[in-house]
Amino acid sequence: MGTKLYKRVYVWEFPVRLFHWLNAAAILVLVVTGLFIGDPLALMENDEAYKTFVMGTVRYVHFVAAYVLLVVFLLRIYWGFVGNKYARWKNFLPFGKNKAKKLGHVIKHDILLVPEKKEDYYHELSIGHNPVASTAYLIFFVLLAVMVLTGFGLYSQNASWWLPKLFSWVPPLLGGDFGTRLVHHTTMWLIILFIIVHVYLVIYHDVVEARGEVSSMISGYKFARWERFRSFVRRKEKIRKILEEPVEEEMMS
Amino acid sequence: MAIQSTRETYYEAIINQGYTRRDFMKFVTFMAAYLGLKNSAIGQIAKALETTPRVPIIWEHYQECTCCSESFIRSDHPIVADIILDKVSLDYTETLMVAAGEQAEAAKHETMKKYHGEYILCVEGSVPLGSDGVYCCIAGRTAIDQLKEAAEGAKAIIAWGSCASNGCVQSAKPNPTTATPIHKIIKDKPIIRVPGCPPIGEVMAGVIVHVLAFGKLPELDSMNRPKAFYSKRVHDSCYRRAYYDAGLFVESFDDPNAKKGYCLYKVGCKGPMTYNACGVIKWNNGVSYPIQSGHGCFGCSEDNFWDNGPIYERLTNVPGFGIEANADKLGKVAAGALAVGVGVHAVAAALSKRKEMRKRRKAGQANLQDIEN
Ligand code: HEM
Ligand code: SF4
Ligand code: SF4
């Protein structure tokens, strides 16, 4: 097996990375504070109520993180229209050029773990999201939307600002605050399940494919085989032309 | 206007009943206060009651326990029950009317014909739709039949209590009679929903006085509940709220925290999801309300409150997963199973990708040898 040439590709632009980590932080805070709101710990406290504000603080933090989540969510939607080709909405839809082949590869070799026989299968790998991942992210977007809708729906009744009030139509749709809370709480668990799989698979791809999966969300770069670049195609073309050109000196001798 | 000359006004009826003008003004002031109206509204209500001829009311009872009527006739001010309900306006109600049988039915039909498009239909109870509605029959006819007939000529409908507004206990799973709230059956009339099991008497009085005095519905929220009484959660007007915000909770009903009057959230209080005026108006002429008596809110004015998880715990029950399943239990099991699955996948990957990765590592090492500096 000869030397393979890899080149850096700028996959995740700065806004994408920023949104990713803000989202991660917000969700972590929301899950922890949310679980506390749902089942607060017993305080061993003998002070008067006015001296403590534990539940109030936890809820406050939940709501601050909720606004972060909302803003990032909206900005990410916007970025899906103006970002680079790996950030665009088209990525998240399960159809498109070469997607079937890539999808097949993920299912066969990454999920079912059939050993890879081919020497070279780089053209079956995705550079941005693979088709399975992108579908999962699309579903995750929906889960976040559900959290934002139900969360701000619960919040709207006590809010005086117009923005949370925009969500006041949600609870009546779900049969009041009872149903809204049920959806809010249950969807949190779906988000936790997503996170477990997401973190595992990122590490898996990093280890198996060695293309810088984990660090890409910090640096923005992944690595891709030179064969995939236009420069490679042009170079090949040039070499082919050179080889085909008649070498005149030799003819004369 | 023609009607006005032939019918008594509320004021006339009240005075004829032996009340004084002073009693009348007190009553009006009460009502304005409950409705959350400002001072100037007192005059408006008084004026309206002085000049408006009485509006006939037909009060139907379907699948219910009559607790709404009970609550209503015990509301704070005697004029409410005495005048509005008992003597003056009520042309038909199974529980309170003197007439019975054919006479009663005849009186009802008389009102429905004479005041077509004018009378207020009050409904207590849900309507069973299962088996063609045979689970509730009055005067030999099904409730659904009766409701449609009475609703046809009504000016507006008031759905009293959780039964008529939400379905209440008879619509709890598995809802054997297909008990259905009024707004899901009648679509072409203005409907006021006044949920609660029962609704607070003063709330009922406030709603009906508003309708009678002003001739229009009180301001309603998106679920058609009067805003004056249902725009705040029990939690928002609860005097134990400071303990909630502090994080000081009753852990069990016999602990010292219960004695100190801490928040009842962890022993199942549904106040944070329940829209009602209990914390403000209270019950039994303002004596107390559940939380003040040491028991969490039951959530009685919310849709489906019978099936929304256990009463004395704060759990998120997930429908369709059995009685013992709550969101956290299911979530933990699912997350655990998934973690195991991921672990198994990782081990399997390490095994099946072993050769591939060794080959790649070798190639990398070969490249390392090859590199110059
Ligand atoms: C990933 C996102 C989120 C997670 C995991 C999460 C989790 C939770 C959980 C577990 C609860 C407790 C539910 C219960 O009472 O059983 C909760 C409550 C709540 N959450 Fe969220 N949440 C998220 C996003 C949001 C957002 C965006 C908002 C918007 C304002 C929000 C607002 C609320 C409100 C108002 C409550 C009720 C608090 C109360 O009862 O005082 N949440 N959340
Ligand atoms: S007792 Fe119930 S309504 Fe009152 S503060 Fe606690 S949770 Fe809220
Ligand atoms: S405190 Fe709750 S359960 Fe009790 S009457 Fe009020 S709304 Fe219903």
Side-chain angles (χ1 to χ4, degrees):
Chain A
M1 197 155 70
T3 302
K4 305 259 180 0
L5 285 178
Y6 279 85
K7 288 183 77 148
R8 288 177 125 202
V9 199
Y10 191 45
V11 181
W12 314 126
E13 299 154 291
F14 177 71
V16 172
R17 284 173 281 147
L18 180 72
F19 298 159
H20 175 271
W21 291 113
L22 279 177
N23 236 342
I27 291 171
L28 185 71
V29 170
L30 284 162
V31 167
V32 172
T33 52
L35 282 171
F36 189 93
I37 294 169
D39 187 11
L41 298 171
L43 282 189
M44 292 300 134
E45 182 70 76
N46 268 320
D47 267 342
E48 285 297 319
Y50 71 85
K51 289 191 179 160
T52 25
F53 197 61
V54 174
M55 194 71 172
T57 310
V58 170
R59 289 177 67 239
Y60 181 73
V61 173
H62 194 80
F63 302 147
V64 170
Y67 274 106
V68 172
L69 186 77
L70 174 70
V71 171
V72 170
F73 185 80
L74 295 178
L75 286 175
R76 185 61 186 83
I77 290 177
Y78 166 72
W79 201 255
F81 294 105
V82 300
N84 71 13
K85 61 177 175 181
Y86 301 108
R88 297 234 169 197
W89 282 110
K90 220 175 74 188
N91 276 281
F92 294 95
L93 302 174
F95 34 81
K97 209 173 90 189
N98 257 348
K99 282 239 167 118
K101 207 156 66 179
K102 291 173 178 169
L103 179 71
H105 189 271
V106 174
I107 292 175
K108 192 165 159 200
H109 299 293
D110 292 322
I111 298 178
L112 302 176
L113 291 171
V114 178
E116 181 63 73
K117 291 273 164 26
K118 274 175 277 181
E119 269 293 304
D120 248 354
Y121 54 88
Y122 63 86
H123 49 278
E124 291 179 18
L125 295 180
S126 307
I127 292 177
H129 304 300
N130 77 47
V132 176
S134 62
T135 312
Y137 298 152
L138 191 65
I139 295 171
F140 189 63
F141 255 94
V142 175
L143 293 183
L144 287 186
V146 169
M147 285 323 263
V148 167
L149 288 175
T150 55
F152 276 99
L154 285 170
Y155 187 75
S156 64
Q157 301 290 342
N158 297 293
S160 42
W161 194 32
W162 58 267
L163 184 102
K165 282 225 175 293
L166 290 180
F167 294 83
S168 59
W169 54 273
V170 179
L173 221 60
L174 298 170
D177 284 10
F178 276 87
T180 313
R181 179 177 155 258
L182 171 71
V183 174
H184 197 69
H185 198 121
T186 315
T187 310
M188 173 193 70
W189 280 106
L190 298 181
I191 286 177
I192 293 175
L193 299 186
F194 168 88
I195 292 172
I196 294 174
V197 176
H198 172 68
V199 172
Y200 166 68
L201 283 179
V202 167
I203 297 172
Y204 166 91
H205 282 289
D206 195 299
V207 172
V208 171
E209 290 160 7
R211 295 190 300 153
E213 191 90 12
V214 173
S215 61
S216 71
M217 202 35 86
I218 299 167
S219 65
Y221 294 101
K222 277 196 186 178
F223 297 93
R225 284 281 288 280
W226 188 37
E227 283 91 328
R228 302 186 79 146
F229 290 81
R230 273 191 211 107
S231 64
F232 176 82
V233 178
R234 279 201 299 271
R235 181 71 67 87
K236 220 162 77 179
E237 197 64 7
K238 223 184 210 164
I239 292 172
R240 194 173 55 81
K241 267 197 198 134
I242 290 171
L243 290 180
E244 278 175 5
E245 258 170 32
V247 185
E248 288 181 20
E249 293 91 342
E250 274 184 32
M251 296 288 271
M252 293 219 251
S253 69
Chain B
M1 285 298 118
I3 302 164
Q4 198 166 7
S5 53
T6 57
R7 266 193 283 160
E8 240 181 349
T9 65
Y10 289 101
Y11 181 67
E12 283 160 6
I14 288 166
I15 296 301
N16 289 345
Q17 198 62 34
Y19 288 98
T20 62
R21 165 120 191 133
R22 190 179 173 81
D23 293 326
F24 170 74
M25 285 314 294
K26 273 200 218 162
F27 161 73
V28 169
T29 313
F30 260 109
M31 289 304 129
Y34 285 138
L35 284 163
L37 302 174
K38 54 185 182 197
N39 258 357
S40 59
I42 299 172
Q44 285 174 27
I45 298 182
K47 183 106 198 239
L49 291 179
E50 276 167 8
T51 52
T52 327
R54 70 177 197 92
V55 177
I57 294 175
I58 293 178
W59 188 305
E60 294 271 25
H61 296 253
Y62 303 132
Q63 278 183 313
E64 47 104 23
C65 72
T66 321
C67 77
C68 301
S69 294
E70 291 287 345
S71 178
F72 189 61
I73 58 179
R74 277 161 187 71
S75 62
D76 230 358
H77 206 281
I79 289 184
V80 175
D82 227 21
I83 302 301
I84 305 295
L85 185 85
D86 204 11
K87 310 258 170 33
V88 178
S89 274
L90 213 56
D91 289 14
Y92 178 93
T93 178
E94 283 92 336
T95 11
L96 297 175
M97 63 194 172
V98 179
E102 312 240 306
Q103 285 171 342
E105 291 300 310
K108 181 167 102 174
H109 284 105
E110 167 87 16
T111 302
M112 276 169 16
K113 222 165 66 201
K114 197 160 150 204
Y115 300 109
H116 193 270
E118 270 183 76
Y119 63 87
I120 305 294
L121 175 64
C122 293
V123 180
E124 209 176 324
S126 60
V127 176
L129 296 183
S131 310
D132 293 331
V134 296
Y135 298 112
C136 179
C137 289
I138 301 143
R141 289 167 58 207
T142 60
I144 176 72
D145 199 17
Q146 301 260 12
L147 172 67
K148 283 189 175 150
E149 184 190 30
E152 200 269 318
K155 183 175 171 200
I157 301 175
I158 305 180
W160 288 136
S162 288
C163 299
S165 313
N166 296 325
C168 207
V169 63
Q170 55 276 35
S171 74
K173 282 192 193 79
N175 193 357
T177 65
T178 323
T180 310
I182 306 310
H183 68 278
K184 294 204 176 143
I185 301 171
I186 305 295
K187 305 276 185 195
D188 57 350
K189 294 280 168 183
I191 297 179
I192 312 176
R193 292 161 79 195
V194 189
C197 189
I200 304 171
E202 285 72 34
V203 168
M204 299 176 74
V207 170
I208 204 154
V209 167
H210 190 288
V211 173
L212 299 182
F214 295 120
K216 59 177 192 217
L217 308 190
E219 203 186 341
L220 304 179
D221 67 9
S222 57
M223 293 168 98
N224 284 340
R225 300 173 299 195
K227 270 191 181 164
F229 306 110
Y230 293 93
S231 62
K232 285 238 161 14
R233 304 173 301 174
V234 172
H235 190 55
D236 298 323
S237 51
C238 179
Y239 76 102
R240 299 195 186 204
R241 179 61 186 265
Y243 292 110
Y244 171 89
D245 287 332
L248 296 169
F249 300 108
V250 173
E251 302 290 330
S252 75
F253 281 110
D254 53 0
D255 72 0
N257 294 355
K259 223 179 199 168
K260 286 186 216 154
Y262 284 0
C263 167
L264 297 158
Y265 187 69
K266 286 176 81 175
V267 286
C269 181
K270 306 289 186 283
M273 288 97 72
T274 305
Y275 291 79
N276 210 337
C278 301
V280 182
I281 296 181
K282 301 193 180 174
W283 285 85
N284 301 324
N285 303 345
V287 172
S288 179
Y289 74 114
I291 293 164
Q292 195 174 337
S293 309
H295 189 288
C297 167
F298 204 72
C300 77
S301 55
E302 288 297 311
D303 193 7
N304 203 20
F305 73 102
W306 294 95
D307 293 322
N308 269 318
I311 297 167
Y312 295 111
E313 280 167 283
R314 188 176 164 76
L315 292 178
T316 311
N317 266 38
V318 185
F321 283 92
I323 295 167
E324 284 302 308
N326 66 66
D328 290 330
K329 250 190 219 172
L330 287 173
K332 279 177 200 159
V333 169
L338 200 60
V340 170
V342 160
V344 169
H345 192 273
V347 172
L351 292 176
S352 81
K353 304 272 174 197
R354 204 178 39 204
K355 267 195 201 145
E356 235 179 279
M357 283 164 67
R358 195 186 304 141
K359 215 155 73 184
R360 241 177 267 150
R361 211 172 303 125
K362 272 212 192 108
Q365 276 154 0
N367 286 345
L368 183 67
Q369 302 292 321
D370 209 26
I371 221 153
E372 275 178 24
N373 45 53

